[in-house]
Amino acid sequence: MNARSPRPAAVPAEALREPRSRKALHGMKLLIGGYLALSVLTLAALFVLRGDATVVNEAVWVRVGIVVASALLSFTFVVRAARGSRGAYRRLRIVSAVMVVAIAVIVAVPGPFPLWLKLEQGVCGLALLGVLVVANGSHLRALFAAE
């Protein structure tokens, strides 16, 4: 037997069209869109610079791959949240929080990552910090609260 609880209903469209909601969701889309664009550009730069082991090492490949995947997921989540998905909103809050912590560790701790990647990660972290502030604001939390 699979006794799953019913999914909470999507946020009503009229609540999503409210000016504060539209502004908050649009702002998060822009921040995550920038995070995604920067991540993809960084991946493209890795391909171009792949012959230089001082600039691109295995740890950089792994990290950038994880960042691109999280950026794609985050963009999917913010688009679905803007359509009223409570689950996508919850996932967006979780992924952005985890990535901010991971980025802070990478930037702060000495290790195999070159300075240029730490700078790029810092910019990504600032964008995700903006997402965290907006997503965890009282307006969106109330909007996406289960009925």
Side-chain angles (χ1 to χ4, degrees), residues 38-101:
L38 182 56
S39 300
V40 169
L41 287 171
T42 302
L43 183 62
L46 291 184
F47 280 106
V48 172
L49 301 170
R50 68 185 175 269
D52 186 349
T54 61
V55 176
V56 179
N57 59 37
E58 188 175 331
V60 171
W61 279 109
V62 171
R63 178 64 194 160
V64 171
I66 290 169
V67 170
V68 170
S70 78
L72 286 168
L73 282 173
S74 296
F75 193 77
T76 301
F77 296 153
V78 76
V79 167
R80 290 184 58 219
R83 293 181 186 152
S85 171
R86 286 182 167 90
Y89 168 73
R90 185 174 48 255
R91 289 178 198 99
L92 175 63
R93 288 177 62 199
I94 292 167
V95 168
S96 57
V98 168
M99 289 305 294
V100 165
V101 170

Side-chain angles (χ1 to χ4, degrees), residues 96-117:
S96 57
V98 168
M99 289 305 294
V100 165
V101 170
I103 288 169
V105 168
I106 283 173
V107 170
V109 175
F113 301 108
L115 179 61
W116 70 268
L117 183 69

